[in-house]
Amino acid sequence: MPDVPDTEPVPKPALAPALGDVRVLDISNFLAAPLCSMFLADFGADVVKIEQPGRGDEIRYWGHDKDGVGLYYKVVNRGKRSVTADLRTPLGVEIVKRLARDVDVVVENYRPGTLERWGLDYETLSAENPGLILVRVSGFGQTGPNSRRPGFGTLAEAYAGYAHISGHPDGPPLLPAFGLADSTTGLMAAYLTMVALHEQRRTGKGQVVDLAIYETLLTLLGPQVVDYDQLGIVQQRAGSRLPFTAPRNTYRTRDGHWVSMAGSAQSTFERICAALEAPELVQDPRFNENRVRLKNAAALDVELQKAIGRFDFADLQERFLHHQATVAPVNDIAAIFRDEHMAARQNIVALEDAELGGPLRMQNVVGKFSRTPGAIRSTGPRMGEHNREVLVGRLGIDAERLRAAGIRLDPAESRAVEDRAANGGKP
């Protein structure tokens, strides 16, 4: 366990949560679509997650684990209830159909055509629930010549144009070191869900939300489209520099710390120079205006590195604060755990996790509401933890029928029935 300040659990909101009347059925896997339902659960939506018996969501096996428990699953599926059902079987299809009757949203991320093949298409699901919203996340969308191709975040980061501009001019294109396309898609999917819910509240009608994983990233990549359309410019790799403002880079202090710095406005650049005791840079004809600085960004970085290299990190921070100039440390996760500001804003929160047998720290709900704040109600559940509650209690399905299909009803029951289901019924 890292040596970090005590982190108290965030108290649950006193008022009803903002999305407390929203019901979500999440039949998705991996990252992008489950993040969508995670963001909804953070603000109180009732999310039931369907997992494959025996194996569950594949994200249980991504990255690091502790005592065999996948850690990132605990974050992405926080606040949800886990139910196991095989959607390739009549019982699994029945479970989804019956749950879809009284939910507002179904979230899925199978390849286009898969739900239709299982008999879970929108027309079928909405026949008894005309207000249903079906959020469909896929690699390339439900339409277009690439729609039936398999796709996921790594492909989207290349396809949308991100990898081409990431890296240094003399190096290869670089992919991000985390699931950037999936994460941004999860955010956009949650936003689009709320747009559709707003319209549903006015009309009572549902609809399909069709989101390709590459699309959000394409929109977030800045002015590339208009620059190419109007000027024929193809942005190239430039390390940490930007094509529309300078300076913008990382620099090293005298005592070996890295900082990030940008001068997005002329006044900001002037304050940076004042903090660095380098007023001559403001008067230098190579640097006295943003568009000129862009043409001489490499030379400017050399001068700024010389100036920053004269100061230790703590002194630099004080100088920049005094001059209201812009700088930030290049934090690793250990530094983030120690950061007083993030602690004050409770950006990392501790929650008890029975499966791991103790507290588990994770990123907190994003954003602060004055009346109805979000709250993480629980960490990601055990596989099938809520089978009895949902399948027997809510749907009224006979317990023996479920057991015969390989669906265990309580965590205490043997995993053998799920293992048998995963092996095609073989012991």
Side-chain angles (χ1 to χ4, degrees):
M1 180 68 67
D3 183 19
V4 297
D6 291 336
T7 306
E8 293 297 325
V10 175
K12 290 181 172 55
L15 298 175
L19 300 181
D21 62 342
V22 175
R23 278 186 160 186
V24 179
L25 176 60
D26 181 355
I27 60 174
S28 66
N29 291 277
F30 300 107
L31 189 53
L35 276 172
C36 168
S37 59
M38 183 202 81
F39 289 123
L40 301 176
D42 282 352
F43 286 95
D46 176 7
V47 180
V48 172
K49 179 179 179 63
I50 302 291
E51 299 192 65
Q52 177 72 17
R55 184 160 182 85
D57 189 334
E58 286 293 326
I59 203 172
R60 289 183 180 273
Y61 311 99
W62 279 18
H64 296 287
D65 69 278
K66 182 178 181 181
D67 301 328
V69 178
L71 294 177
Y72 197 32
Y73 173 92
K74 291 289 183 180
V75 178
V76 175
N77 292 287
R78 65 198 194 190
K80 306 177 189 179
R81 290 181 287 170
S82 172
V83 168
T84 52
D86 188 342
L87 304 191
R88 301 165 299 181
T89 66
L91 177 59
V93 170
E94 177 188 339
I95 288 170
V96 171
K97 286 181 178 179
R98 291 178 63 178
L99 286 172
R101 290 174 186 170
D102 63 351
V103 301
D104 297 284
V105 180
V106 173
V107 179
E108 69 96 9
N109 65 343
Y110 292 97
R111 199 183 306 185
T114 302
L115 289 193
E116 288 75 7
R117 188 170 67 251
W118 290 339
L120 295 172
D121 53 276
Y122 182 71
E123 289 71 20
T124 298
L125 294 179
S126 63
E128 296 186 54
N129 183 0
L132 181 68
I133 295 163
L134 177 60
V135 179
R136 312 196 70 173
V137 176
S138 60
F140 297 95
Q142 302 295 315
T143 61
N146 292 338
S147 61
R148 296 304 174 102
R149 291 176 54 186
F152 45 88
T154 297
L155 305 187
E157 286 148 7
Y159 187 72
Y162 171 84
H164 176 76
I165 64 170
S166 180
H168 291 279
D170 56 351
L174 293 180
L175 295 166
F178 72 105
L180 175 62
D182 282 322
S183 300
T184 54
T185 297
L187 280 167
M188 180 57 73
Y191 165 70
L192 295 178
T193 299
M194 296 310 301
V195 173
L197 276 169
H198 179 76
E199 197 276 340
Q200 179 217 57
R201 296 299 195 253
R202 289 193 293 110
T203 66
K205 298 179 181 179
Q207 59 184 307
V208 176
V209 176
D210 171 11
L211 177 61
I213 295 176
Y214 73 88
E215 289 177 320
T216 304
L217 200 51
L218 174 64
T219 295
L220 295 178
L221 282 176
Q224 287 192 65
V225 171
V226 292
D227 285 352
Y228 180 74
D229 176 58
Q230 296 296 307
L231 302 172
I233 294 172
V234 177
Q235 184 176 333
Q236 301 299 322
R237 293 185 287 284
S240 294
R241 297 185 185 124
L242 284 176
F244 47 83
T245 187
R248 198 264 197 170
N249 216 323
T250 57
Y251 308 88
R252 198 171 189 178
T253 62
R254 183 169 59 188
D255 54 351
H257 289 272
W258 286 92
V259 296
S260 171
M261 194 175 69
S264 56
Q266 182 65 22
S267 58
T268 305
F269 175 64
E270 291 173 3
R271 288 196 293 271
I272 288 171
C273 294
L276 293 174
E277 298 180 358
E280 69 279 2
L281 295 181
V282 179
Q283 307 302 322
D284 192 312
R286 298 173 298 168
F287 312 136
N288 61 3
E289 190 268 330
N290 184 59
R291 286 196 172 91
V292 176
R293 288 196 294 273
L294 284 171
K295 295 177 181 178
N296 298 284
L300 177 58
D301 277 340
V302 170
E303 297 301 324
L304 289 173
Q305 180 56 71
K306 287 179 184 176
I308 290 170
R310 295 186 288 114
F311 302 102
D312 289 340
F313 175 74
D315 187 15
L316 188 77
Q317 288 273 78
E318 282 192 25
R319 287 175 173 276
F320 271 64
L321 181 61
H322 175 74
H323 288 275
Q324 290 294 288
T326 50
V327 73
V330 177
N331 284 331
D332 61 15
I333 192 61
I336 286 172
F337 264 65
R338 296 189 298 267
D339 189 272
E340 294 180 354
H341 179 80
M342 293 196 194
R345 286 187 59 80
Q346 295 183 303
N347 294 134
I348 295 176
V349 63
L351 299 104
E352 286 297 317
D353 185 274
E355 192 173 14
L356 291 171
L360 174 66
R361 292 181 176 88
M362 64 177 66
Q363 302 95 318
N364 203 356
V365 178
V366 178
K368 309 292 183 186
F369 281 37
S370 61
R371 290 193 304 106
T372 57
I376 303 171
R377 290 168 289 178
S378 61
T379 62
R382 288 185 173 95
M383 191 191 315
E385 182 176 335
H386 302 91
N387 280 345
R388 182 177 293 278
E389 175 189 340
V390 175
L391 300 180
V392 178
R394 182 162 155 183
L395 297 185
I397 300 175
D398 181 74
E400 292 308 315
R401 182 187 176 197
L402 293 168
R403 289 194 182 97
I407 299 175
R408 64 188 177 97
L409 298 180
D410 297 292
E413 292 185 10
S414 170
R415 292 184 180 271
V417 289
E418 286 203 341
D419 294 339
R420 192 160 58 245
N423 292 325
K426 298 178 182 179

